[in-house]
Amino acid sequence: MRNMLTPMKNTILIITIVTFIFAMYGICLGAENSPQYDKWAATGKMAAEKAIALISKTASKPEKENLIVLTNAGYSEPGGDATQGALDGLVSVTAAGRGRNTLVEIHSDPWTPLWFAVFDKGSGYCTYLEINNKVHDTAAEDFFINISVERIDADYLYDHAKEYNDKFDKKIFGGNEFRILTIANAISEGAPSYVVRSFEFHDHYCPGVNSGILMANYLKKNFPPDDKGYFIQSVTPWCKEDALQVMLNVTAGKKSYSLYHPSDSDIAARKSEFKDVSTIAYRHNKKSNQWEGIALSFVWADTKLPSTGNGLIDKVRDALWYLDYLDKPEDFVKVIKSFELPEDVTPEEWARPGVDPMEKISNAIGYK
């Protein structure tokens, strides 16, 4: 009897596993073809068609290869919906793509209204459309709000900067003016993928995030890690942190990144040699089996660019200026001090609450 039951048990087990696999497969298929997905895929398609039609009325019909699409779809959750289906709808019309850096997914809060911007780098015109979070019927006349078409290519902005003061005050792009202007123009000028990933996560492109990009480039070039990767410690944080996390794959969740926010008095108390230090990078040395580090500062460029008369456009111009210097991080990143951690000491121990890493570095190098 026992021998008869064993095959039966095995058969039941196999049927159970196969049923589970097919059930899970069905769930996955169902997610892609759910009413929620269909709604937002249709919304993305509708937004792209409307954007292209508006640009065509203002200039000429854009060529698909000239289109750059920016959106917070996938992050915004109007009514609690998942909106990543809108990305497929956008792509079906514009042919924008991740591989060509022409489909840009901008990080945002889930409660931020869903928005789309379609930029034609051929004409310089950009259409902006925002979803009305209070309206859930895609056929409603007020489903899209804050619809506008503006010319935003960098050279045009520089030549017409003062004219845009009033437009920016009126929030022609729903408050997303800076992120759209910087990102669209950076991609138009050929920003590499690691820059795109950095400002997608940061949600805009600015000189601050450029400093992190240049620091990451400096470390990859001059301070490469072993298979344990980097440990990054920010002792004076700013926008650079987002680029460092994205480019070097260092995050708090993986216990490879830490920061603290020093007060003015904390910075004033630092030894004069360390006052400009903003970031400490650590790597493991396989030969010595010890950790070593470098304390870094960032020297902001004097671009010598005259003011355009529009503060926001000045920031756009300054951010784009750095694109020509991405392969010259040594011009901006300076090593204040190189050091080795004591035997059996890890960077995490210098990132504990109440621990002053500057004091630890001073002791490690015998600095008084």
Side-chain angles (χ1 to χ4, degrees):
M1 185 70 176
R2 183 178 180 182
N3 291 338
M4 291 177 63
L5 288 173
T6 301
M8 185 178 297
K9 287 182 178 179
N10 290 339
T11 301
I12 293 172
L13 178 62
I14 292 171
I15 292 172
T16 302
I17 292 172
V18 171
T19 302
F20 175 76
I21 291 172
F22 273 96
M24 291 303 296
Y25 184 66
I27 289 172
C28 292
L29 289 177
E32 291 180 2
N33 296 285
S34 68
Q36 192 176 106
Y37 170 85
D38 292 341
K39 171 186 174 179
W40 293 110
T43 299
K45 181 179 180 181
M46 183 166 50
E49 291 172 343
K50 191 173 186 68
I52 290 173
L54 289 170
I55 292 173
S56 299
K57 287 182 180 180
T58 307
S60 57
K61 185 175 181 179
E63 300 292 334
K64 285 188 176 181
E65 59 267 23
N66 287 330
L67 293 177
I68 298 169
V69 178
L70 294 77
T71 180
N72 66 340
Y75 292 106
S76 175
E77 299 176 359
D81 283 1
T83 56
Q84 60 265 34
L87 298 169
D88 291 346
L90 291 163
V91 170
S92 70
V93 175
T94 64
R98 298 292 294 172
R100 291 186 290 113
N101 289 328
T102 53
L103 177 63
V104 191
E105 300 174 52
I106 309 300
H107 206 174
S108 80
D109 300 322
W111 49 84
T112 300
L114 176 62
W115 58 267
F116 308 96
V118 178
F119 175 61
D120 171 28
K121 66 180 182 180
S123 67
Y125 280 94
C126 179
T127 300
Y128 175 83
L129 304 100
E130 186 177 302
I131 297 298
N132 186 346
N133 275 359
K134 297 179 181 179
V135 177
H136 302 290
D137 180 6
T138 57
E141 289 185 6
D142 57 348
F143 182 69
F144 287 114
I145 57 175
N146 291 343
I147 302 172
S148 60
V149 184
E150 294 288 344
R151 185 170 176 182
I152 63 165
D153 54 297
D155 288 338
Y156 186 85
L157 289 175
Y158 303 155
D159 292 339
H160 300 80
K162 293 182 179 179
E163 297 174 21
Y164 277 80
N165 282 318
D166 185 54
K167 290 183 178 183
F168 294 153
D169 287 341
K170 292 178 179 178
K171 296 185 177 181
I172 53 173
F173 293 159
N176 295 301
E177 293 77 22
F178 183 60
R179 56 179 53 93
I180 291 173
L181 268 58
T182 53
I183 292 175
N185 279 293
I187 292 176
S188 182
E189 293 191 16
S193 59
Y194 62 85
V195 172
V196 177
R197 298 296 175 267
S198 296
F199 59 56
E200 277 185 324
F201 182 65
H202 190 58
D203 91 19
H204 64 273
Y205 188 42
C206 63
V209 80
N210 267 319
S211 64
I213 291 167
L214 286 162
M215 273 194 178
N217 280 347
Y218 180 91
L219 291 170
K220 291 194 298 181
K221 182 178 178 181
N222 299 288
F223 195 68
D226 66 7
D227 54 6
K228 290 190 176 182
Y230 292 108
F231 185 95
I232 301 295
Q233 186 176 28
S234 174
V235 295
T236 308
W238 65 74
C239 309
K240 63 182 169 66
E241 317 312 328
D242 290 348
L244 288 166
Q245 290 179 85
V246 169
M247 289 181 60
L248 304 180
N249 192 29
V250 288
T251 66
K254 292 189 285 288
K255 298 182 179 180
S256 54
Y257 176 85
S258 75
L259 67 79
Y260 69 88
H261 293 269
S263 65
D264 291 341
S265 60
D266 291 332
I267 296 174
R270 293 176 183 173
K271 292 180 172 65
S272 59
E273 187 176 12
F274 297 139
K275 287 192 185 297
D276 292 332
V277 173
S278 66
T279 306
I280 304 170
Y282 303 87
R283 69 178 178 185
H284 182 258
N285 187 318
K286 279 187 176 180
K287 291 183 179 179
S288 67
N289 197 31
Q290 288 180 244
W291 285 84
E292 53 193 18
I294 51 176
L296 303 174
S297 70
F298 188 82
V299 180
W300 297 99
D302 179 6
T303 63
K304 295 183 172 59
L305 296 170
S307 173
T308 64
N310 183 303
L312 190 151
I313 291 176
D314 285 347
K315 290 180 181 178
V316 172
R317 178 203 57 192
D318 291 346
L320 297 177
W321 182 90
Y322 281 95
L323 285 174
D324 292 330
Y325 298 91
L326 296 176
D327 61 346
K328 299 177 181 179
E330 297 84 2
D331 290 353
F332 311 94
V333 182
K334 304 302 177 186
V335 177
I336 301 299
K337 190 62 65 177
S338 300
F339 57 92
E340 188 176 61
L341 278 68
E343 190 175 353
D344 296 326
V345 173
T346 65
E348 290 92 334
E349 294 178 53
W350 286 14
R352 306 270 189 241
V355 175
D356 181 357
M358 299 303 180
E359 182 179 342
K360 294 291 187 181
I361 294 172
S362 296
N363 293 336
I365 63 178
Y367 181 80
K368 303 298 183 182

